[in-house]
Amino acid sequence: MILVFQLQNLLYLVLGLVALGIELWAFADCARRKPADFERAYKRTKGFWMGLTGGAAAVGLLSVLLFGPLALLLFELAAVVAASVYLADVRPALNESKGRGGAYGSW
């Protein structure tokens, strides 16, 4: 029984660290963009995405620091979804509007 509990805790920790990595990647990518890039891509403002990805990174950090089963599971899920939306939708649009090509190349 104790071994199962330890494996479960280890799994939650690993998943929390992976989610934190995704959230930090989204925040860092958003921070290095210019505000005009967001307007050019017809996405929300840079401030909106900085707040959303920054909040997601903060929740991810708290989730890892407060490590425990189901500590912030629902909030962590919402945070990783917000960061993933940025990475899957906004980031390719920003790259495409800047002329770097989108997900399918620069043609």
Side-chain angles (χ1 to χ4, degrees), residues 13 15 21 24 28 30-31 44 57 59 62 70 73 77 82 96-97 101:
L13 179 62
L15 289 175
L24 289 175
C30 185
R44 289 188 172 253
V59 168
L62 279 175
L70 308 175
L73 192 59
L77 181 62
E96 191 172 319
S97 72

Side-chain angles (χ1 to χ4, degrees), residues 6-88:
Q6 290 173 343
L7 286 174
Q8 181 182 5
N9 279 342
L10 181 63
L11 179 65
Y12 281 134
L13 179 62
V14 169
L15 289 175
L17 290 172
V18 168
L20 179 61
I22 291 170
E23 294 152 0
L24 289 175
W25 175 26
F27 181 69
D29 185 78
C30 185
R32 70 178 183 86
R33 306 287 181 154
K34 295 179 183 170
D37 293 343
F38 291 86
E39 295 170 14
R40 194 178 314 117
Y42 298 107
K43 298 295 176 182
R44 289 188 172 253
T45 64
K46 179 178 179 170
F48 173 82
W49 287 109
M50 285 292 294
L52 199 64
T53 57
V59 168
L61 185 63
L62 279 175
S63 179
V64 170
L65 292 178
L66 296 177
F67 172 69
L70 308 175
L72 295 173
L73 192 59
L74 185 61
F75 294 110
E76 179 61 28
L77 181 62
V80 78
V81 165
S84 297
V85 165
Y86 174 83
L87 291 173

